[in-house]
Amino acid sequence: MALTIQSAQTIFSNTQVPSPIPATIALFDQLNVDDKLAYLWYAYTEMGKTITPAAPGAARLQLAEGLLSQIKQMSSEEQTKVMRDLASRADTPISRSYGFFSVNTKLAFWYELGELMKQGIITPIPVGYQMSPGVRFVLEATQKLDPGQQITVLRNTVVDMGFDTSDLGPSSYPKAATEPAFQRTTPVISSVKIDGITEPAVLGYIEAMNADNFDAAIALFTTDGALQPPFQKPIVGREAIAKYMREEAQGLNMMPQQGICEVQPDGSKQLKITGIVQTPWFGVTVGMNISWRFLINPEGKIFFVAIDMLASPQELMNLRRV
Ligand code: 45D
């Protein structure tokens, strides 16, 4: 029987626990636009007491520089309008340009605005704003999340801002030919050991990803293979996966800890591995508890891998079917 992405998506589904991240984002989505901006400001500054993102490199900031310098020259009312437009996904020139940014450029853009807010150059929340009970409620829900989940909520809200450009053609906004690289701050983890796992494709995948060697990682996939990032649809085909990795998987530290492997009658293998991933934005200060669910075809190639955020650290041990 041929492997299908649809059936691959369901492997180990009965070992999964729903993540509180989408539930928190759903609460955020219900807020009005000023409440959204206020929530982000309070969540970010509260989080900043314990963890702060690393400053984006000059090359990455350069990509956002055009918008940032326009915004810096505006009156504070105009600045507030820009932020409202971004948060409500309005169709304006700035909100469109932002919509074409890559994920990491979007984060760099807000990082810089956050710095300007701390310096008092930009007003973080509309003048006269009063915190609503709704904002307080979402902030309390956010505080219950672990740091890895908190930064994922922030990341995903930032990604969803700006005009939705997915149906538009390519951007007229100048784009870098290649996504700027993240400088690795910790030594590359070269020898991969995962309790319970000897599958070469999986060990090779982790090793390649930890060296940002995406060509080597891609070569381990079948040509029709797919990668499903957390809370997203599968990305199908080597070319699409390679593009995604170059944009969003740079500088990650992947530390898988343990896994199980189940051989199927057709010779394919289903593996679930749990472990910790660190993003270059926060380095070693934030560990994200995740799982990889791999479907390896009988020839030893990766047909499918899903990356899922775990609901709790206990879930790291939760490999068996219940
Ligand atoms: O609106 O095997 C202000 C894949 C207020 C690849 C603000 C992976 C106003 C394959 C404060 C200014 C990638 C899938 C806003 C593995 C306002 C693979 C600013 C997984 C917005 C393992 C807010 C990788 C700011 C994973 C500046 C799981 C917020 C990666 C900044 C996860 C937030 C990475 C930042 C994550 C968040 C990164 C920098 C969750 C970064 C999060």
Side-chain angles (χ1 to χ4, degrees), residues 65-99:
E65 198 42 54
L67 287 199
L68 287 167
S69 58
Q70 278 183 60
I71 294 168
K72 276 189 245 179
Q73 284 160 24
M74 292 177 174
S75 68
S76 68
E77 291 76 30
E78 289 170 319
Q79 290 170 342
T80 297
K81 181 176 181 307
V82 167
M83 288 188 276
R84 284 180 175 143
D85 288 343
L86 290 171
S88 60
R89 318 203 68 179
D91 188 1
T92 66
I94 289 186
S95 182
R96 271 191 185 224
S97 300
Y98 178 93

PDB file of all heavy atoms in Angstrom, residues 65-99:
ATOM      1  N   GLU A  65      14.500  47.757   7.779  1.00  0.00           N
ATOM      2  CA  GLU A  65      14.921  49.141   7.987  1.00  0.00           C
ATOM      3  C   GLU A  65      14.015  50.164   7.286  1.00  0.00           C
ATOM      4  O   GLU A  65      13.681  51.209   7.863  1.00  0.00           O
ATOM      5  CB  GLU A  65      16.382  49.313   7.518  1.00  0.00           C
ATOM      6  CG  GLU A  65      17.082  50.548   8.041  1.00  0.00           C
ATOM      7  CD  GLU A  65      16.813  50.838   9.522  1.00  0.00           C
ATOM      8  OE1 GLU A  65      17.037  49.916  10.331  1.00  0.00           O
ATOM      9  OE2 GLU A  65      16.371  51.954   9.852  1.00  0.00           O
ATOM     10  N   GLY A  66      13.586  49.849   6.068  1.00  0.00           N
ATOM     11  CA  GLY A  66      12.724  50.768   5.320  1.00  0.00           C
ATOM     12  C   GLY A  66      11.465  51.117   6.105  1.00  0.00           C
ATOM     13  O   GLY A  66      11.123  52.288   6.278  1.00  0.00           O
ATOM     14  N   LEU A  67      10.810  50.092   6.611  1.00  0.00           N
ATOM     15  CA  LEU A  67       9.578  50.330   7.377  1.00  0.00           C
ATOM     16  C   LEU A  67       9.888  51.025   8.690  1.00  0.00           C
ATOM     17  O   LEU A  67       9.195  51.966   9.093  1.00  0.00           O
ATOM     18  CB  LEU A  67       8.861  49.012   7.683  1.00  0.00           C
ATOM     19  CG  LEU A  67       8.145  48.284   6.563  1.00  0.00           C
ATOM     20  CD1 LEU A  67       7.140  47.304   7.147  1.00  0.00           C
ATOM     21  CD2 LEU A  67       7.455  49.247   5.633  1.00  0.00           C
ATOM     22  N   LEU A  68      10.940  50.568   9.355  1.00  0.00           N
ATOM     23  CA  LEU A  68      11.259  51.143  10.666  1.00  0.00           C
ATOM     24  C   LEU A  68      11.574  52.634  10.558  1.00  0.00           C
ATOM     25  O   LEU A  68      11.116  53.423  11.388  1.00  0.00           O
ATOM     26  CB  LEU A  68      12.448  50.392  11.301  1.00  0.00           C
ATOM     27  CG  LEU A  68      12.113  48.986  11.813  1.00  0.00           C
ATOM     28  CD1 LEU A  68      13.391  48.205  12.124  1.00  0.00           C
ATOM     29  CD2 LEU A  68      11.218  49.047  13.040  1.00  0.00           C
ATOM     30  N   SER A  69      12.308  53.033   9.521  1.00  0.00           N
ATOM     31  CA  SER A  69      12.657  54.453   9.444  1.00  0.00           C
ATOM     32  C   SER A  69      11.421  55.295   9.086  1.00  0.00           C
ATOM     33  O   SER A  69      11.272  56.404   9.573  1.00  0.00           O
ATOM     34  CB  SER A  69      13.826  54.702   8.494  1.00  0.00           C
ATOM     35  OG  SER A  69      13.517  54.240   7.225  1.00  0.00           O
ATOM     36  N   GLN A  70      10.515  54.736   8.287  1.00  0.00           N
ATOM     37  CA  GLN A  70       9.249  55.461   8.044  1.00  0.00           C
ATOM     38  C   GLN A  70       8.495  55.678   9.355  1.00  0.00           C
ATOM     39  O   GLN A  70       7.980  56.760   9.623  1.00  0.00           O
ATOM     40  CB  GLN A  70       8.328  54.621   7.145  1.00  0.00           C
ATOM     41  CG  GLN A  70       8.590  54.687   5.658  1.00  0.00           C
ATOM     42  CD  GLN A  70       7.541  53.858   4.905  1.00  0.00           C
ATOM     43  OE1 GLN A  70       6.353  54.116   4.989  1.00  0.00           O
ATOM     44  NE2 GLN A  70       7.998  52.845   4.191  1.00  0.00           N
ATOM     45  N   ILE A  71       8.435  54.632  10.149  1.00  0.00           N
ATOM     46  CA  ILE A  71       7.646  54.690  11.384  1.00  0.00           C
ATOM     47  C   ILE A  71       8.267  55.661  12.389  1.00  0.00           C
ATOM     48  O   ILE A  71       7.568  56.411  13.066  1.00  0.00           O
ATOM     49  CB  ILE A  71       7.484  53.264  11.976  1.00  0.00           C
ATOM     50  CG1 ILE A  71       6.631  52.420  11.026  1.00  0.00           C
ATOM     51  CG2 ILE A  71       6.865  53.302  13.370  1.00  0.00           C
ATOM     52  CD1 ILE A  71       6.618  50.936  11.333  1.00  0.00           C
ATOM     53  N   LYS A  72       9.593  55.665  12.436  1.00  0.00           N
ATOM     54  CA  LYS A  72      10.281  56.551  13.385  1.00  0.00           C
ATOM     55  C   LYS A  72       9.961  58.017  13.122  1.00  0.00           C
ATOM     56  O   LYS A  72       9.931  58.835  14.033  1.00  0.00           O
ATOM     57  CB  LYS A  72      11.798  56.338  13.299  1.00  0.00           C
ATOM     58  CG  LYS A  72      12.281  55.164  14.150  1.00  0.00           C
ATOM     59  CD  LYS A  72      13.794  55.122  14.210  1.00  0.00           C
ATOM     60  CE  LYS A  72      14.280  53.858  13.529  1.00  0.00           C
ATOM     61  NZ  LYS A  72      15.733  53.704  13.488  1.00  0.00           N
ATOM     62  N   GLN A  73       9.746  58.340  11.836  1.00  0.00           N
ATOM     63  CA  GLN A  73       9.485  59.742  11.490  1.00  0.00           C
ATOM     64  C   GLN A  73       8.042  60.164  11.745  1.00  0.00           C
ATOM     65  O   GLN A  73       7.701  61.337  11.604  1.00  0.00           O
ATOM     66  CB  GLN A  73       9.828  59.970  10.009  1.00  0.00           C
ATOM     67  CG  GLN A  73      11.327  60.062   9.772  1.00  0.00           C
ATOM     68  CD  GLN A  73      11.704  59.803   8.327  1.00  0.00           C
ATOM     69  OE1 GLN A  73      10.892  59.979   7.428  1.00  0.00           O
ATOM     70  NE2 GLN A  73      12.946  59.393   8.109  1.00  0.00           N
ATOM     71  N   MET A  74       7.180  59.235  12.104  1.00  0.00           N
ATOM     72  CA  MET A  74       5.747  59.557  12.245  1.00  0.00           C
ATOM     73  C   MET A  74       5.428  60.186  13.599  1.00  0.00           C
ATOM     74  O   MET A  74       6.170  60.027  14.561  1.00  0.00           O
ATOM     75  CB  MET A  74       4.926  58.266  12.113  1.00  0.00           C
ATOM     76  CG  MET A  74       4.944  57.672  10.742  1.00  0.00           C
ATOM     77  SD  MET A  74       4.016  56.119  10.782  1.00  0.00           S
ATOM     78  CE  MET A  74       4.035  55.738   9.028  1.00  0.00           C
ATOM     79  N   SER A  75       4.269  60.847  13.646  1.00  0.00           N
ATOM     80  CA  SER A  75       3.741  61.327  14.925  1.00  0.00           C
ATOM     81  C   SER A  75       3.282  60.097  15.717  1.00  0.00           C
ATOM     82  O   SER A  75       3.096  59.017  15.141  1.00  0.00           O
ATOM     83  CB  SER A  75       2.554  62.252  14.683  1.00  0.00           C
ATOM     84  OG  SER A  75       1.460  61.502  14.163  1.00  0.00           O
ATOM     85  N   SER A  76       3.072  60.254  17.012  1.00  0.00           N
ATOM     86  CA  SER A  76       2.702  59.078  17.796  1.00  0.00           C
ATOM     87  C   SER A  76       1.305  58.559  17.406  1.00  0.00           C
ATOM     88  O   SER A  76       1.056  57.363  17.489  1.00  0.00           O
ATOM     89  CB  SER A  76       2.832  59.332  19.298  1.00  0.00           C
ATOM     90  OG  SER A  76       1.881  60.244  19.713  1.00  0.00           O
ATOM     91  N   GLU A  77       0.411  59.450  16.947  1.00  0.00           N
ATOM     92  CA  GLU A  77      -0.904  58.967  16.476  1.00  0.00           C
ATOM     93  C   GLU A  77      -0.724  58.083  15.241  1.00  0.00           C
ATOM     94  O   GLU A  77      -1.361  57.046  15.100  1.00  0.00           O
ATOM     95  CB  GLU A  77      -1.857  60.126  16.102  1.00  0.00           C
ATOM     96  CG  GLU A  77      -2.340  60.972  17.275  1.00  0.00           C
ATOM     97  CD  GLU A  77      -1.282  61.934  17.787  1.00  0.00           C
ATOM     98  OE1 GLU A  77      -0.434  62.377  16.969  1.00  0.00           O
ATOM     99  OE2 GLU A  77      -1.268  62.230  18.997  1.00  0.00           O
ATOM    100  N   GLU A  78       0.145  58.543  14.344  1.00  0.00           N
ATOM    101  CA  GLU A  78       0.378  57.754  13.123  1.00  0.00           C
ATOM    102  C   GLU A  78       1.041  56.409  13.460  1.00  0.00           C
ATOM    103  O   GLU A  78       0.723  55.383  12.847  1.00  0.00           O
ATOM    104  CB  GLU A  78       1.276  58.535  12.150  1.00  0.00           C
ATOM    105  CG  GLU A  78       0.594  59.726  11.499  1.00  0.00           C
ATOM    106  CD  GLU A  78       1.573  60.624  10.725  1.00  0.00           C
ATOM    107  OE1 GLU A  78       2.698  60.875  11.215  1.00  0.00           O
ATOM    108  OE2 GLU A  78       1.210  61.071   9.626  1.00  0.00           O
ATOM    109  N   GLN A  79       1.942  56.427  14.426  1.00  0.00           N
ATOM    110  CA  GLN A  79       2.601  55.177  14.838  1.00  0.00           C
ATOM    111  C   GLN A  79       1.579  54.198  15.394  1.00  0.00           C
ATOM    112  O   GLN A  79       1.599  53.004  15.076  1.00  0.00           O
ATOM    113  CB  GLN A  79       3.682  55.467  15.885  1.00  0.00           C
ATOM    114  CG  GLN A  79       4.873  56.200  15.307  1.00  0.00           C
ATOM    115  CD  GLN A  79       5.828  56.690  16.376  1.00  0.00           C
ATOM    116  OE1 GLN A  79       5.479  56.780  17.559  1.00  0.00           O
ATOM    117  NE2 GLN A  79       7.050  57.016  15.971  1.00  0.00           N
ATOM    118  N   THR A  80       0.673  54.721  16.212  1.00  0.00           N
ATOM    119  CA  THR A  80      -0.372  53.860  16.768  1.00  0.00           C
ATOM    120  C   THR A  80      -1.231  53.280  15.650  1.00  0.00           C
ATOM    121  O   THR A  80      -1.577  52.094  15.675  1.00  0.00           O
ATOM    122  CB  THR A  80      -1.244  54.655  17.767  1.00  0.00           C
ATOM    123  OG1 THR A  80      -0.408  55.074  18.847  1.00  0.00           O
ATOM    124  CG2 THR A  80      -2.389  53.826  18.304  1.00  0.00           C
ATOM    125  N   LYS A  81      -1.520  54.111  14.653  1.00  0.00           N
ATOM    126  CA  LYS A  81      -2.346  53.617  13.538  1.00  0.00           C
ATOM    127  C   LYS A  81      -1.631  52.480  12.795  1.00  0.00           C
ATOM    128  O   LYS A  81      -2.253  51.469  12.450  1.00  0.00           O
ATOM    129  CB  LYS A  81      -2.690  54.751  12.567  1.00  0.00           C
ATOM    130  CG  LYS A  81      -3.559  54.259  11.415  1.00  0.00           C
ATOM    131  CD  LYS A  81      -4.013  55.345  10.466  1.00  0.00           C
ATOM    132  CE  LYS A  81      -4.899  54.779   9.354  1.00  0.00           C
ATOM    133  NZ  LYS A  81      -4.314  53.654   8.616  1.00  0.00           N
ATOM    134  N   VAL A  82      -0.329  52.631  12.577  1.00  0.00           N
ATOM    135  CA  VAL A  82       0.434  51.569  11.907  1.00  0.00           C
ATOM    136  C   VAL A  82       0.325  50.264  12.684  1.00  0.00           C
ATOM    137  O   VAL A  82       0.065  49.195  12.115  1.00  0.00           O
ATOM    138  CB  VAL A  82       1.924  51.967  11.751  1.00  0.00           C
ATOM    139  CG1 VAL A  82       2.764  50.761  11.344  1.00  0.00           C
ATOM    140  CG2 VAL A  82       2.080  53.076  10.722  1.00  0.00           C
ATOM    141  N   MET A  83       0.495  50.356  14.001  1.00  0.00           N
ATOM    142  CA  MET A  83       0.444  49.132  14.805  1.00  0.00           C
ATOM    143  C   MET A  83      -0.954  48.524  14.805  1.00  0.00           C
ATOM    144  O   MET A  83      -1.113  47.301  14.750  1.00  0.00           O
ATOM    145  CB  MET A  83       0.942  49.414  16.214  1.00  0.00           C
ATOM    146  CG  MET A  83       2.448  49.631  16.224  1.00  0.00           C
ATOM    147  SD  MET A  83       3.126  49.736  17.872  1.00  0.00           S
ATOM    148  CE  MET A  83       2.832  51.447  18.211  1.00  0.00           C
ATOM    149  N   ARG A  84      -1.978  49.406  14.851  1.00  0.00           N
ATOM    150  CA  ARG A  84      -3.356  48.889  14.770  1.00  0.00           C
ATOM    151  C   ARG A  84      -3.583  48.202  13.424  1.00  0.00           C
ATOM    152  O   ARG A  84      -4.203  47.136  13.361  1.00  0.00           O
ATOM    153  CB  ARG A  84      -4.364  50.025  14.914  1.00  0.00           C
ATOM    154  CG  ARG A  84      -4.522  50.517  16.340  1.00  0.00           C
ATOM    155  CD  ARG A  84      -5.548  51.645  16.380  1.00  0.00           C
ATOM    156  NE  ARG A  84      -5.818  52.079  17.733  1.00  0.00           N
ATOM    157  CZ  ARG A  84      -6.036  53.352  18.080  1.00  0.00           C
ATOM    158  NH1 ARG A  84      -6.011  54.307  17.151  1.00  0.00           N
ATOM    159  NH2 ARG A  84      -6.279  53.661  19.329  1.00  0.00           N
ATOM    160  N   ASP A  85      -3.078  48.814  12.350  1.00  0.00           N
ATOM    161  CA  ASP A  85      -3.236  48.211  11.015  1.00  0.00           C
ATOM    162  C   ASP A  85      -2.560  46.840  10.938  1.00  0.00           C
ATOM    163  O   ASP A  85      -3.100  45.901  10.353  1.00  0.00           O
ATOM    164  CB  ASP A  85      -2.631  49.117   9.932  1.00  0.00           C
ATOM    165  CG  ASP A  85      -3.474  50.367   9.690  1.00  0.00           C
ATOM    166  OD1 ASP A  85      -4.652  50.386  10.102  1.00  0.00           O
ATOM    167  OD2 ASP A  85      -2.939  51.324   9.089  1.00  0.00           O
ATOM    168  N   LEU A  86      -1.381  46.741  11.529  1.00  0.00           N
ATOM    169  CA  LEU A  86      -0.668  45.460  11.505  1.00  0.00           C
ATOM    170  C   LEU A  86      -1.447  44.410  12.290  1.00  0.00           C
ATOM    171  O   LEU A  86      -1.653  43.290  11.819  1.00  0.00           O
ATOM    172  CB  LEU A  86       0.737  45.615  12.094  1.00  0.00           C
ATOM    173  CG  LEU A  86       1.739  46.416  11.253  1.00  0.00           C
ATOM    174  CD1 LEU A  86       3.007  46.680  12.047  1.00  0.00           C
ATOM    175  CD2 LEU A  86       2.071  45.679   9.955  1.00  0.00           C
ATOM    176  N   ALA A  87      -1.898  44.797  13.484  1.00  0.00           N
ATOM    177  CA  ALA A  87      -2.582  43.824  14.345  1.00  0.00           C
ATOM    178  C   ALA A  87      -3.940  43.434  13.780  1.00  0.00           C
ATOM    179  O   ALA A  87      -4.423  42.330  14.030  1.00  0.00           O
ATOM    180  CB  ALA A  87      -2.730  44.385  15.758  1.00  0.00           C
ATOM    181  N   SER A  88      -4.571  44.324  12.984  1.00  0.00           N
ATOM    182  CA  SER A  88      -5.879  43.975  12.420  1.00  0.00           C
ATOM    183  C   SER A  88      -5.750  43.492  10.976  1.00  0.00           C
ATOM    184  O   SER A  88      -6.750  43.322  10.283  1.00  0.00           O
ATOM    185  CB  SER A  88      -6.841  45.165  12.518  1.00  0.00           C
ATOM    186  OG  SER A  88      -6.307  46.260  11.799  1.00  0.00           O
ATOM    187  N   ARG A  89      -4.529  43.309  10.527  1.00  0.00           N
ATOM    188  CA  ARG A  89      -4.240  42.779   9.186  1.00  0.00           C
ATOM    189  C   ARG A  89      -4.845  43.635   8.078  1.00  0.00           C
ATOM    190  O   ARG A  89      -5.315  43.106   7.052  1.00  0.00           O
ATOM    191  CB  ARG A  89      -4.716  41.322   9.055  1.00  0.00           C
ATOM    192  CG  ARG A  89      -4.431  40.449  10.272  1.00  0.00           C
ATOM    193  CD  ARG A  89      -4.391  38.994   9.928  1.00  0.00           C
ATOM    194  NE  ARG A  89      -3.226  38.711   9.090  1.00  0.00           N
ATOM    195  CZ  ARG A  89      -2.891  37.519   8.639  1.00  0.00           C
ATOM    196  NH1 ARG A  89      -3.647  36.479   8.917  1.00  0.00           N
ATOM    197  NH2 ARG A  89      -1.829  37.346   7.898  1.00  0.00           N
ATOM    198  N   ALA A  90      -4.859  44.953   8.293  1.00  0.00           N
ATOM    199  CA  ALA A  90      -5.451  45.872   7.318  1.00  0.00           C
ATOM    200  C   ALA A  90      -4.646  45.879   6.020  1.00  0.00           C
ATOM    201  O   ALA A  90      -3.472  45.524   6.006  1.00  0.00           O
ATOM    202  CB  ALA A  90      -5.486  47.274   7.917  1.00  0.00           C
ATOM    203  N   ASP A  91      -5.307  46.287   4.934  1.00  0.00           N
ATOM    204  CA  ASP A  91      -4.623  46.394   3.648  1.00  0.00           C
ATOM    205  C   ASP A  91      -4.099  47.819   3.471  1.00  0.00           C
ATOM    206  O   ASP A  91      -4.764  48.679   2.926  1.00  0.00           O
ATOM    207  CB  ASP A  91      -5.571  46.014   2.510  1.00  0.00           C
ATOM    208  CG  ASP A  91      -4.834  45.939   1.173  1.00  0.00           C
ATOM    209  OD1 ASP A  91      -3.601  46.156   1.152  1.00  0.00           O
ATOM    210  OD2 ASP A  91      -5.491  45.650   0.158  1.00  0.00           O
ATOM    211  N   THR A  92      -2.899  48.069   3.969  1.00  0.00           N
ATOM    212  CA  THR A  92      -2.225  49.361   3.797  1.00  0.00           C
ATOM    213  C   THR A  92      -0.833  49.050   3.250  1.00  0.00           C
ATOM    214  O   THR A  92      -0.376  47.905   3.364  1.00  0.00           O
ATOM    215  CB  THR A  92      -2.056  50.088   5.150  1.00  0.00           C
ATOM    216  OG1 THR A  92      -1.160  49.310   5.962  1.00  0.00           O
ATOM    217  CG2 THR A  92      -3.382  50.261   5.886  1.00  0.00           C
ATOM    218  N   PRO A  93      -0.144  50.046   2.663  1.00  0.00           N
ATOM    219  CA  PRO A  93       1.191  49.747   2.117  1.00  0.00           C
ATOM    220  C   PRO A  93       2.148  49.152   3.162  1.00  0.00           C
ATOM    221  O   PRO A  93       2.838  48.170   2.879  1.00  0.00           O
ATOM    222  CB  PRO A  93       1.680  51.119   1.636  1.00  0.00           C
ATOM    223  CG  PRO A  93       0.422  51.886   1.318  1.00  0.00           C
ATOM    224  CD  PRO A  93      -0.595  51.426   2.332  1.00  0.00           C
ATOM    225  N   ILE A  94       2.160  49.703   4.366  1.00  0.00           N
ATOM    226  CA  ILE A  94       3.085  49.179   5.390  1.00  0.00           C
ATOM    227  C   ILE A  94       2.694  47.770   5.800  1.00  0.00           C
ATOM    228  O   ILE A  94       3.532  46.871   5.928  1.00  0.00           O
ATOM    229  CB  ILE A  94       3.136  50.125   6.614  1.00  0.00           C
ATOM    230  CG1 ILE A  94       3.874  51.414   6.224  1.00  0.00           C
ATOM    231  CG2 ILE A  94       3.805  49.444   7.816  1.00  0.00           C
ATOM    232  CD1 ILE A  94       4.118  52.384   7.359  1.00  0.00           C
ATOM    233  N   SER A  95       1.400  47.576   5.977  1.00  0.00           N
ATOM    234  CA  SER A  95       0.921  46.270   6.414  1.00  0.00           C
ATOM    235  C   SER A  95       1.150  45.204   5.330  1.00  0.00           C
ATOM    236  O   SER A  95       1.378  44.028   5.627  1.00  0.00           O
ATOM    237  CB  SER A  95      -0.562  46.414   6.771  1.00  0.00           C
ATOM    238  OG  SER A  95      -1.093  45.222   7.233  1.00  0.00           O
ATOM    239  N   ARG A  96       1.116  45.630   4.068  1.00  0.00           N
ATOM    240  CA  ARG A  96       1.446  44.711   2.967  1.00  0.00           C
ATOM    241  C   ARG A  96       2.931  44.362   2.975  1.00  0.00           C
ATOM    242  O   ARG A  96       3.297  43.193   2.837  1.00  0.00           O
ATOM    243  CB  ARG A  96       1.141  45.346   1.609  1.00  0.00           C
ATOM    244  CG  ARG A  96      -0.255  45.098   1.157  1.00  0.00           C
ATOM    245  CD  ARG A  96      -0.410  45.502  -0.300  1.00  0.00           C
ATOM    246  NE  ARG A  96      -1.815  45.346  -0.637  1.00  0.00           N
ATOM    247  CZ  ARG A  96      -2.266  44.788  -1.748  1.00  0.00           C
ATOM    248  NH1 ARG A  96      -1.424  44.375  -2.668  1.00  0.00           N
ATOM    249  NH2 ARG A  96      -3.553  44.653  -1.959  1.00  0.00           N
ATOM    250  N   SER A  97       3.774  45.390   3.101  1.00  0.00           N
ATOM    251  CA  SER A  97       5.222  45.120   3.115  1.00  0.00           C
ATOM    252  C   SER A  97       5.564  44.158   4.248  1.00  0.00           C
ATOM    253  O   SER A  97       6.319  43.208   4.071  1.00  0.00           O
ATOM    254  CB  SER A  97       6.011  46.411   3.317  1.00  0.00           C
ATOM    255  OG  SER A  97       5.734  47.312   2.282  1.00  0.00           O
ATOM    256  N   TYR A  98       4.989  44.408   5.402  1.00  0.00           N
ATOM    257  CA  TYR A  98       5.212  43.529   6.555  1.00  0.00           C
ATOM    258  C   TYR A  98       4.759  42.104   6.239  1.00  0.00           C
ATOM    259  O   TYR A  98       5.436  41.141   6.576  1.00  0.00           O
ATOM    260  CB  TYR A  98       4.453  44.081   7.763  1.00  0.00           C
ATOM    261  CG  TYR A  98       4.555  43.234   9.008  1.00  0.00           C
ATOM    262  CD1 TYR A  98       5.537  43.482   9.955  1.00  0.00           C
ATOM    263  CD2 TYR A  98       3.659  42.177   9.245  1.00  0.00           C
ATOM    264  CE1 TYR A  98       5.623  42.704  11.105  1.00  0.00           C
ATOM    265  CE2 TYR A  98       3.746  41.399  10.388  1.00  0.00           C
ATOM    266  CZ  TYR A  98       4.728  41.664  11.321  1.00  0.00           C
ATOM    267  OH  TYR A  98       4.826  40.895  12.450  1.00  0.00           O
ATOM    268  N   GLY A  99       3.608  42.010   5.553  1.00  0.00           N
ATOM    269  CA  GLY A  99       3.068  40.696   5.216  1.00  0.00           C
ATOM    270  C   GLY A  99       4.006  39.859   4.350  1.00  0.00           C
ATOM    271  O   GLY A  99       3.936  38.642   4.349  1.00  0.00           O
TER     272      GLY A  99
END
